[in-house]
Amino acid sequence: MATLRTISDHIIDICENAIKSGGNKGYLVIIETINNFKFIVSDNGRGMNKEKLEKALDPFFTSKKERRKKFGLGLPFLKYSVEKTGGKFKIYSYENIGTTVIAEFNIKNIDCQPIGNIPEMLLNVLNISGDFFWKITRFFEKEGYTIETNFLKKNFDLTNALDLMLLKKYIIELEKQIKEVSK
């Protein structure tokens, strides 16, 4: 896990967990307003029972066997980062059904991390997805857009640098459009 300096870094981390969950489908919803930044990551993976769910918020617990260090900071640090801003954090998980993580930051709070680079974060999530299907919905105020990996994989080679650059320009343009309309 890389250092989680921005909210975008948290999103990548939670999306990576979703991809590794054993499922094949996930949803990422990002809602940004003047005061709040909320994201929801949901997957149809193996999920967790109540005991594992409680352990998932313990920074000294990890389910990753291949790690040398036996701790996982992703979820606990996300929860801490959200609550530090006066925001809300929730996680729901059901064994053999999937997991949903909801994080809402109060971005006006002095303790809130920077949002980070949304287009690069989305490109990272799409790039690490493999055969995992994502439906990504992004809102800024009342304007938004949706990206689905099924469409992207039919029309782009996500391992090709030129296609990735084109996709990044497209996402940057979408971000520009929703922010201009909201003014």
Side-chain angles (χ1 to χ4, degrees):
M1 173 183 71
T3 304
L4 304 174
R5 292 187 174 129
T6 67
I7 296 172
S8 292
D9 293 333
H10 286 290
I11 295 171
I12 292 169
D13 184 59
I14 301 304
C15 287
E16 190 174 12
N17 289 349
I19 293 165
K20 293 177 179 178
S21 72
N24 63 355
K25 187 185 329 185
Y27 299 92
L28 168 59
V29 179
I30 301 169
I31 304 166
E32 184 179 353
T33 66
I34 291 171
N35 297 313
N36 296 304
F37 188 96
K38 179 178 185 175
F39 73 86
I40 303 162
V41 177
S42 187
D43 67 63
N44 67 344
R46 67 179 93 36
M48 297 176 272
N49 61 27
K50 189 175 180 180
E51 181 182 306
K52 283 184 183 174
L53 185 58
E54 288 173 13
K55 286 182 179 179
L57 295 174
D58 177 352
F60 299 104
F61 172 78
T62 184
S63 61
K64 297 174 179 127
K65 307 284 187 233
E66 72 277 0
R67 286 200 142 162
R68 287 185 211 163
K69 297 177 184 174
K70 295 292 181 188
F71 55 90
L73 294 175
L75 284 170
F77 187 52
L78 172 61
K79 182 177 188 284
Y80 169 77
S81 297
V82 166
E83 291 175 348
K84 188 168 76 166
T85 72
K88 299 173 189 159
F89 174 86
K90 292 189 180 185
I91 181 169
Y92 303 96
S93 193
Y94 303 96
E95 213 164 9
N96 301 315
I97 295 175
T99 301
T100 299
V101 175
I102 304 169
E104 185 173 355
F105 293 82
N106 173 358
I107 56 177
K108 296 292 185 180
N109 187 296
I110 193 166
D111 290 325
C112 189
Q113 296 170 289
I115 292 171
N117 188 318
I118 299 290
E120 283 187 17
M121 176 273 298
L122 291 176
L123 203 57
N124 270 319
V125 168
L126 294 169
N127 200 25
I128 63 174
S129 295
D131 292 332
F132 195 85
F133 166 83
W134 280 109
K135 181 173 183 179
I136 299 169
T137 306
R138 161 82 163 122
F139 291 99
F140 182 84
E141 297 296 335
K142 294 180 181 180
E143 297 298 320
Y145 61 85
T146 298
I147 298 172
E148 293 189 31
T149 53
N150 282 354
F151 172 80
L152 293 178
K153 289 175 182 177
K154 287 178 186 172
N155 295 287
F156 298 95
D157 177 0
L158 297 181
T159 63
N160 179 296
L162 291 175
D163 280 2
L164 288 172
M165 285 175 47
L166 184 63
L167 185 54
K168 182 178 179 181
K169 286 180 182 179
Y170 175 66
I171 294 170
I172 289 170
E173 186 58 34
L174 290 172
E175 284 290 311
K176 183 178 167 189
Q177 287 176 11
I178 64 172
K179 290 182 178 178
E180 283 179 353
V181 173
S182 295
K183 289 182 180 179

